[in-house]
């Protein structure tokens, strides 16, 4: 459907309801998990390792555990002190790798500065790597073999939201990804290449980013800078996916405010579709973690999973 014609200051964009799409996706995961349990007599198992006491990470990890429990998954959380050594963390990863009741393992990021996140990612069994951060899964995705990879959750969820907005065929669409992180920017670019988009990846050294952004039919902001993408960067009718979650201090004793990487109200006057923060991509990330855990469990037990999201 064509978006409504714009006037300069009113919101024209359709706001993409990430919670509603996540609920719909989670229902499909639930049905597939029941079929898996009936056939194998097993529950998908997810282990999450949290190092330290960062309040944001604590909330994320709690929400992941709750989502797993709601689906009847076996859910385990390991909480380690911020002073834990890298060697002790690697030993825990090895133990979880060897635990047959656990099919998916996620080490919450960021890690304390004395621990090398790359070394930790490389220690995770690729078959249990529900974050898609091991070199094997990165390589499979980058070589066009996403079907046999585990794919990072936020990128996978973002592409589902884009397809809900623009339709399942994204062939030839011009996409700009702002940000080149291993967890979002790079993998979402790979997924969009797989969808036959023409993809540009922008980063802190990119010249004239606003001009590049104005060409994008699909604009993904994943930089972690509050409201960096302004309204006049947005092409008329574009699909804007805001991956940023930035906590701004409240004014005059108000509660902290969450904002994305996109200046929402400005961008919504020009975009055709836009995700809000909160209520956009975030909900999809957890749903896709559940999908990855079920996918990992099915592969490890030889169950032929049918999960078309
Ligand atoms: N911290 C913020 N987002 C993520 C994520 O998707 N995975 C992990 N492991 N840590 C995160």
């Amino acid at each position: 459907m064509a978006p409504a014609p714009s006037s300069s200051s009113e919101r024209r964009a359709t706001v993409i309801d990430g919670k509603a799409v996540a609920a719909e996706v989670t229902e499909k995961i639930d049905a597939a998990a029941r079929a898996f349990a009936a056939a194998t007599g097993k529950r998908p198992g997810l282990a999450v390792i949290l190092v330290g006491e960062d309040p944001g990470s604590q909330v994320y990890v709690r929400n992941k555990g709750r989502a797993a429990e709601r689906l009847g998954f076996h859910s385990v959380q390991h909480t380690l002190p911020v002073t834990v050594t890298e060697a002790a963390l690697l030993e825990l990863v090895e133990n979880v790798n060897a635990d047959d009741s656990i099919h998916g393992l996620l080490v919450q990021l960021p890690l304390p500065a004395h621990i090398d996140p790359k070394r930790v990612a490389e220690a995770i069994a690729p078959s249990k790597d529900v974050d898609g951060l091991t070199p094997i899964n990165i390589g499979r995705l980058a070589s066009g073999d996403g079907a046999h990879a585990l794919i990072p959750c936020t990128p996978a969820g973002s592409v589902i939201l884009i397809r809900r907005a623009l339709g399942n065929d994204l062939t030839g669409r011009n996409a700009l990804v702002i940000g080149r992180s291993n967890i979002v920017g790079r993998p979402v670019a790979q997924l969009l290449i797989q969808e036959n988009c023409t993809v540009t990846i922008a980063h802190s050294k990119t010249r004239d980013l606003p001009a590049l952004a104005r060409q994008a039919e699909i604009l993904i902001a994943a930089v972690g800078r509050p409201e960096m993408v302004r309204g006049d960067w947005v092409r008329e009718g574009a699909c804007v996916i805001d991956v940023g979650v930035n906590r701004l201090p409240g004014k005059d004793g108000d509660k902290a405010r969450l904002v994305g990487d996109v200046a929402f109200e400005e961008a919504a006057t020009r975009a055709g579709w836009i995700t809000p923060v909160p209520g956009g991509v975030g909900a999809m990330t957890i749903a896709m973690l559940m999908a990855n855990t079920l996918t990992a469990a099915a592969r490890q037990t030889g169950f032929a999973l049918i999960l078309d999201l």
Side-chain angles (χ1 to χ4, degrees), residues 154 158 176-179 184-185 188 218-225 228-229 233 239-245 260-263 275 277 281:
T154 301
S158 297
L176 177 69
V177 179
I178 310 177
V184 182
V188 83
I218 298 169
L219 178 58
I220 300 190
V223 266
R225 290 182 55 182
M228 183 182 94
V229 175
W233 296 25
C239 178
V240 177
I241 302 294
D242 189 352
V243 180
V245 183
D261 291 348
V262 177
T275 59
V277 176
V281 172

Side-chain angles (χ1 to χ4, degrees), residues 64 106-109 131 183:
K64 288 167 184 176
L106 176 153
V107 180
Q108 185 68 20
L109 302 171
D131 253 338
I183 190 86

Side-chain angles (χ1 to χ4, degrees), residues 48-49 57 60-61 64 105-110 130-131 133 152-155 183-184 285 289:
V48 178
I49 300 178
S57 292
Y60 286 134
V61 166
K64 288 167 184 176
L105 165 60
L106 176 153
V107 180
Q108 185 68 20
L109 302 171
V130 284
D131 253 338
L133 290 176
C153 302
T154 301
I183 190 86
V184 182
T285 298
L289 176 62

Side-chain angles (χ1 to χ4, degrees), residues 157-180:
S158 297
V159 170
I160 290 178
L161 294 181
I162 295 165
R163 291 167 64 140
R164 292 294 193 279
L166 300 181
N168 287 339
D169 186 2
L170 302 176
T171 299
R173 297 278 192 174
N174 214 340
L176 177 69
V177 179
I178 310 177
R180 53 178 160 180

Side-chain angles (χ1 to χ4, degrees), residues 118-131:
K118 222 167 108 197
R119 205 168 288 153
V120 175
E122 287 176 8
I124 296 171
S127 61
K128 298 192 178 186
D129 169 29
V130 284
D131 253 338

